[in-house]
Amino acid sequence: MLRRFLIKFGQGLLTVFLASIVVFLAIRALPGDPAETMAGEDQNPAVIAAIRAKLGLDKPMPEQYLLYMWHALHGDFGTSISSRVPVSTLLGQTLPVTLQLTVLTMVCGGIVGMLMGSVGAYWRGQWPEWLSSVLSLVGLSVPHFWLAMLAIIYVGTTMHLFPVSGYTPLRESLGANIGHLIVPALILGSALAAVLMRQTRANMLDAFGAEYILAVRAKGASESRVVIGHALRNSLVVAVTILGLELGGLLSGAAVIEQIFGLPGIGRLAINAVFSRDYPVVQGVVLVVAVSYVAISLLIDVLYTVLDPRIRVGG
Amino acid sequence: MSDSLSPNRSHLLRGRKSLILLAASALCAVVAACSPVQPSSSGGGAAASPGAGPSSSGLAANYGPTAPPAPGTVKKGGTLTFGLSAQGDALDPTTTGALVNKQIFASMCESLYRLGGDGSINPQLATALPKITDGGKTYTIPLRADAKFADGTPFNAAAMITTWKRDLTDPESGRKSEMGPIASMKAVDDHTVQVKFSSPFAPFSSVLTDRAGIPESPKALKELGYDKFSTHPTCVGPYKFQSQVANTSVTLVKDPNYYDASKVNFDKIIYRIIPDSSVRAQDLKAGSIQVTDSLASTSMASIKSDSSIKVLTAPSMGYASLRINLKGDTPIAKSKLLRQALSLAIDRPTIMKALYGPYATPTCSPISDASPYATKQSQACPAYNVAKAEQLIKQAGVSTPVKITVKTSNTSDSLQFAQALQSSVKAAGFDMKIEPVEFATLLDDMDNHKFEAGILSWSGRPDPDGNLRAEMATNGTGNDSGYSNPQVDKLLDDAVHVTDTAQRAKIYGKMIAILNTDLPYIYLDRSQILVGYKGLSGVFIDPVGVVHLAYAGTTA
């Protein structure tokens, strides 16, 4: 098992390394460069040339890349070209916001998804299953940004239940923090819940039809033990896989939601950086996201062994 | 108990239920498809004010009161939250190219002069207008003796010279090209500076109302270095910089060192960055922000429904234009007549009314009707005339349909605008193809002359030289069309060598007449500045759209 883990770890490192090269080349392949976007309306060629020289953008690409990676390995991700703030500071400011949103989304979406999925599987053929199918379809099809605008208009402005936009850090106020994040989390969670609902329902139905459930029932186990202790538990492996995949996506920033609700997260940072061709920031964000994906994938592997002993032994 | 043990019955039930659902949804679809399609309302702005016929020169301007509110009418203390429409670049008056930063500078970095609503130039950190001598080549400016930078160091002539030296020598300075041909500068005494030009430069007073007129603390420049000045910008202002979080907010606090500190009311101003215009409008309505710059015309209906929101408005000094690449190998680049035909084929009044209602004014020149430099020629805009356009196309010897590809920024507003143009010019025989491009790419394409025609907006400078030289001078720094006309070059120089406004206006009038024949740019419209606020007193704007909050306070 250790060997398996080490191989995965090595693959992860390679993935991160390749991702960094790809994004390095890709962002520079875009027309326009940070010097032009910084020059603003005036587009004075002399100013643009001076900025380019200062940023080392006139150096050959392999040299720029090696310089960047050398610094990155020492923890220096460079300085944002447009705001002159160190990239590590920007990441440090934005990552916690996205993390909080992600955790809240997973809690909302995960609970709702698994609950509705189990309900749909258990009461198969009756209205709860129908309801969970409809909700699942709605959650998958309705565009997030539309839901977001509706939420802002009705929940925010008209009913004054939640703030329209913005963010309050956790250390300032837990209540305000959740207040700012709960509506975005529910909206993002709707898609997550939809996917989870269907998967959980399918897996639970499989489990209900399996012989071991019959055996457990024959042994006299209570209904809740059958459903939660056995059927649900065996569906968890797939649920965890899905959560892991979605978590990666959520971490890279639910950019549209962040933009609409004014949440200063990593997705919004990345979008603005791409538009202003802020190379160090884009590279920094991609590195962080790549490392997160790899770390989560490793974590899920470990989680599998806990949930399903067969995997542990299989090695 | 659990129906999973009785598959047959559950299948039957499911079958019937899904049949009912299917029938219901089919019925809904049929009803929807068969109901008549309502014609969509003609754009947000027009729908907003039925019956309020827009005048040809847009809305009446309302700049707000420039005098501080009477004592007792505003509360002291509290935090003001400003909804800022975009994230700017580094907060450094010397290097910044972003317009939103001007909003923040208005509160923490005052300039020597401030632009008044009537186009006047009012002393702010200077005590009087510059004394202009030596045929317009020497400017002597008296400065305030009681002003201090936010770090406590005195504002004086030496500090202003230090800043200007940076503006002229810092390679990243965006101000150098604005400041004119400066030959030398000196501090005559502690509170008087003198600038000598190699040739007369009339726009200088106007330039000093913008970022080039903002003094930066020499102590801060020395300690932080040019590069890092933006991490803690230190100038003279009613508020001073406290902190900033990228993409989120900039926080300012009251500056006790300000020369008029007793009239400053808030403890703190937070500039919150809210790029989405509808969210910003909702935030204003909900009260989570108290003031915002640039409301979108599409938000105005919603804003007007809230009587507690006050709107300040003025015609912008800028414009949107269709820029033609004269260096291209295209029919439109080679033929003046074709360009004139294109301009005549655009039904400006109808397009602006449909898209923006009263919130945009058609225009054929870079000088606003409200400017002191307006003339008959700058106000002239030939009426939409398809017959004349067709005649000119025939004269140019080009067969219809005339194909032309127009690049535009790929935001939904820009696309809508381009589509309106497209359908308008079709009648005269122009087949316009729209190429939406991401904004940074668009800038790059225009700089490198990789386009046939492109739609871009310019925010506008108070002095006409700022709206014309960069784009129209041969080798101008912003000359996207590659236009070169020695007559225009001479007129540009003539206009800055003279100080008298009426004389300069006449020269610009002549220039615009030439430009409207050559048409390197087809000017399209001028938008309306729309600023909204709620529960405040003492807020005013200037003709550039900057919101001044020095004396603002919560209404008591």
Side-chain angles (χ1 to χ4, degrees):
Chain A
M1 199 193 93
L2 185 63
R3 202 179 80 105
R4 206 175 97 108
F5 182 81
L6 283 176
I7 292 176
K8 290 246 155 189
F9 186 74
Q11 284 173 338
L13 278 181
L14 187 64
T15 308
V16 173
F17 181 61
L18 284 173
S20 74
I21 295 184
V22 168
V23 77
F24 184 89
L25 293 174
I27 184 94
R28 281 163 180 73
L30 289 173
D33 69 3
E36 275 175 0
T37 44
M38 270 173 85
E41 269 188 323
D42 302 294
Q43 292 295 300
N44 188 326
V47 177
I48 293 176
I51 299 176
R52 275 202 191 116
K54 181 139 174 262
L55 296 172
L57 293 175
D58 44 0
K59 292 204 190 87
M61 288 242 239
E63 190 183 330
Q64 288 187 45
Y65 177 73
L66 287 170
L67 266 172
Y68 175 76
M69 282 313 273
W70 176 251
H71 286 119
L73 285 169
H74 287 87
D76 173 14
F77 292 97
T79 309
S80 158
I81 293 176
S82 53
S83 67
R84 292 156 200 242
V85 175
V87 175
S88 39
T89 308
L90 289 173
L91 291 172
Q93 286 170 342
T94 53
L95 197 51
V97 179
T98 303
L99 273 174
Q100 285 165 22
L101 177 63
T102 302
V103 166
L104 206 55
T105 302
M106 294 222 309
V107 164
C108 296
I111 292 179
V112 170
M114 288 202 276
L115 191 72
M116 293 303 288
S118 314
V119 156
Y122 190 74
W123 279 288
R124 185 182 183 180
Q126 299 173 49
W127 67 265
E129 189 198 11
W130 171 84
L131 184 67
S132 84
S133 298
V134 168
L135 283 178
S136 160
L137 198 61
V138 168
L140 281 173
S141 351
V142 175
H144 285 165
F145 55 86
W146 184 71
L147 269 181
M149 283 313 301
L150 282 184
I152 287 176
I153 293 173
Y154 292 110
V155 172
T157 312
T158 312
M159 295 200 272
H160 287 278
L161 278 177
F162 293 105
V164 170
S165 69
Y167 172 77
T168 308
L170 201 54
R171 58 188 135 78
E172 268 182 40
S173 156
L174 176 64
N177 178 272
I178 302 227
H180 281 289
L181 290 174
I182 189 74
V183 177
L186 283 170
I187 292 175
L188 276 175
S190 67
L192 176 64
V195 173
L196 263 179
M197 233 187 267
R198 298 167 84 86
Q199 276 301 326
T200 307
R201 194 186 73 193
N203 286 328
M204 296 270 286
L205 285 174
D206 275 347
F208 283 141
E211 286 174 349
Y212 73 91
I213 290 289
L214 208 50
V216 168
R217 282 219 169 92
K219 280 166 77 181
S222 72
E223 201 57 21
S224 62
R225 185 155 170 77
V226 169
V227 174
I228 298 170
H230 289 272
L232 189 58
R233 178 142 182 219
N234 286 303
S235 316
L236 275 181
V237 172
V238 178
V240 161
T241 311
I242 293 174
L243 276 176
L245 286 171
E246 294 286 324
L247 176 55
L250 286 172
L251 268 182
S252 61
V256 174
I257 293 290
E258 283 178 9
Q259 187 81 333
I260 295 179
F261 286 100
L263 299 170
I266 219 168
R268 199 168 158 197
L269 180 69
I271 290 185
N272 289 336
V274 171
F275 282 150
S276 51
R277 306 288 193 268
D278 200 337
Y279 298 156
V281 176
V282 178
Q283 286 160 209
V285 169
V286 169
L287 267 179
V288 162
V289 170
V291 166
S292 313
Y293 258 114
V294 163
I296 290 165
S297 149
L298 286 173
L299 190 68
I300 298 218
D301 263 358
V302 170
L303 218 57
Y304 282 158
T305 64
V306 165
L307 289 173
D308 191 344
R310 292 176 295 184
I311 298 176
R312 202 183 303 155
V313 171
Chain B
M1 236 242 301
S2 166
D3 271 314
S4 58
L5 291 180
S6 40
N8 292 330
R9 216 179 87 196
S10 66
H11 266 134
L12 249 175
L13 271 169
R14 280 187 82 216
R16 205 187 314 159
K17 230 183 215 114
S18 52
L19 265 177
I20 295 176
L21 254 175
L22 212 58
S25 28
L27 187 66
C28 286
V30 169
V31 169
C34 291
S35 55
V37 175
Q38 304 295 335
S40 56
S41 62
S42 51
S49 38
S55 65
S56 61
S57 52
L59 294 171
N62 175 13
Y63 292 96
T66 51
T73 58
V74 284
K75 299 192 188 141
K76 280 268 181 215
T79 301
L80 174 65
T81 309
F82 187 114
L84 198 60
S85 55
Q87 161 80 47
D89 56 5
L91 264 178
D92 185 333
T94 301
T95 61
T96 184
L99 303 161
V100 280
N101 283 349
K102 287 197 207 183
Q103 303 290 354
I104 304 178
F105 289 149
S107 300
M108 73 169 184
C109 289
E110 282 192 346
S111 45
L112 291 179
Y113 297 98
R114 186 176 48 77
L115 209 55
D118 49 359
S120 60
I121 295 177
N122 306 307
Q124 195 167 228
L125 288 181
T127 54
L129 284 175
K131 196 161 89 179
I132 306 173
T133 51
D134 197 17
K137 290 204 282 200
T138 303
Y139 280 68
T140 310
I141 302 171
L143 306 173
R144 270 188 178 273
D146 56 351
K148 286 208 195 102
F149 288 106
D151 54 15
T153 55
F155 163 64
N156 52 28
M160 195 69 246
I161 303 279
T162 305
T163 305
W164 278 338
K165 280 217 173 95
R166 185 193 170 200
D167 285 340
L168 291 171
T169 56
D170 189 334
E172 289 180 60
S173 165
R175 311 281 79 82
K176 195 151 95 177
S177 54
E178 298 168 0
M179 292 172 73
I182 294 183
S184 69
M185 317 179 273
K186 74 163 191 241
V188 172
D189 59 46
D190 249 4
H191 301 291
T192 316
V193 284
Q194 194 176 74
V195 179
K196 287 203 164 113
F197 291 89
S198 53
S199 62
F201 187 63
F204 195 53
S205 313
S206 176
V207 166
L208 295 179
T209 63
D210 197 350
R211 294 153 286 185
I214 297 177
E216 300 160 8
S217 157
K219 176 160 175 247
L221 280 175
K222 195 147 163 225
E223 282 173 1
L224 297 168
Y226 288 176
D227 265 6
K228 296 258 182 293
F229 183 75
S230 59
T231 56
H232 200 106
T234 312
C235 335
V236 180
Y239 295 87
K240 61 180 176 179
F241 178 84
Q242 187 189 59
S243 62
Q244 61 183 320
V245 179
N247 291 329
T248 309
S249 60
V250 176
T251 305
L252 311 181
V253 291
K254 189 168 163 172
D255 184 3
N257 284 320
Y258 184 57
Y259 54 86
D260 235 349
S262 58
K263 300 212 189 79
V264 178
N265 297 305
F266 285 107
D267 293 326
K268 212 192 256 200
I269 301 185
I270 301 178
Y271 286 88
R272 251 183 69 200
I273 296 159
I274 309 175
D276 189 300
S277 56
S278 13
V279 174
R280 217 159 54 242
Q282 293 303 322
D283 263 312
L284 185 62
K285 285 181 79 172
S288 41
I289 61 176
Q290 289 82 48
V291 55
T292 177
D293 68 305
S294 45
L295 285 167
S297 59
T298 43
S299 307
M300 290 310 289
S302 171
I303 292 285
K304 280 194 174 158
S305 68
D306 184 339
S307 54
S308 62
I309 298 182
K310 307 260 185 312
V311 176
L312 296 176
T313 183
S316 127
M317 309 212 101
Y319 50 80
S321 61
L322 182 62
R323 305 182 181 194
I324 315 285
N325 180 7
L326 298 173
K327 292 195 160 144
D329 185 25
T330 59
I332 194 100
K334 300 209 233 345
S335 166
K336 206 189 297 201
L337 292 171
L338 262 188
R339 297 197 290 275
Q340 288 170 6
L342 187 57
S343 182
L344 284 168
I346 298 173
D347 187 357
R348 290 172 180 76
T350 307
I351 294 175
M352 302 319 151
K353 183 150 159 222
L355 290 178
Y356 308 115
Y359 304 114
T361 319
T363 190
C364 293
S365 98
I367 296 182
S368 150
D369 290 358
S371 161
Y373 297 96
T375 51
K376 259 217 298 272
Q377 293 102 321
S378 73
Q379 290 170 323
C381 205
Y384 174 54
N385 193 332
V386 173
K388 183 122 192 277
E390 285 172 335
Q391 188 202 22
L392 285 170
I393 297 177
K394 227 189 283 190
Q395 243 184 296
V398 181
S399 55
T400 52
V402 184
K403 287 197 195 300
I404 169 170
T405 305
V406 175
K407 284 194 182 181
T408 182
S409 158
N410 66 354
T411 57
S412 57
D413 285 344
S414 313
L415 283 174
Q416 215 183 10
F417 189 65
Q419 282 161 353
L421 286 182
Q422 184 188 46
S423 55
S424 183
V425 301
K426 203 158 166 198
F430 285 98
D431 178 14
M432 188 169 120
K433 176 161 162 255
I434 301 172
E435 204 180 298
V437 186
E438 184 246 338
F439 190 66
T441 309
L442 182 62
L443 282 183
D444 190 60
D445 285 346
M446 308 284 279
D447 283 350
N448 296 321
H449 305 290
K450 280 199 288 207
F451 67 107
E452 182 175 359
I455 303 176
L456 265 187
S457 294
W458 170 251
S459 67
R461 301 279 177 274
D463 193 291
D465 187 66
N467 294 331
L468 282 163
R469 177 178 299 271
E471 284 124 353
M472 299 304 173
T474 310
N475 301 323
T477 54
N479 193 336
D480 291 337
S481 44
Y483 181 61
S484 172
N485 185 331
Q487 256 191 306
V488 170
D489 288 342
K490 176 155 191 308
L491 286 171
L492 277 168
D493 284 340
D494 286 346
V496 300
H497 289 166
V498 180
T499 356
D500 177 54
T501 306
Q503 261 188 297
R504 295 184 69 206
K506 236 200 263 180
I507 301 174
Y508 285 118
K510 258 194 247 169
M511 193 191 310
I512 289 175
I514 300 177
L515 291 177
N516 277 332
T517 326
D518 291 343
L519 288 175
Y521 282 18
I522 296 176
Y523 296 99
L524 297 168
D525 78 295
R526 181 158 286 119
S527 59
Q528 196 81 3
I529 296 165
L530 291 165
V531 165
Y533 67 91
K534 192 173 182 172
L536 301 174
S537 305
V539 181
F540 64 94
I541 59 173
D542 64 28
V544 181
V546 174
V547 185
H548 292 263
L549 300 168
Y551 306 128
T554 312
T555 313

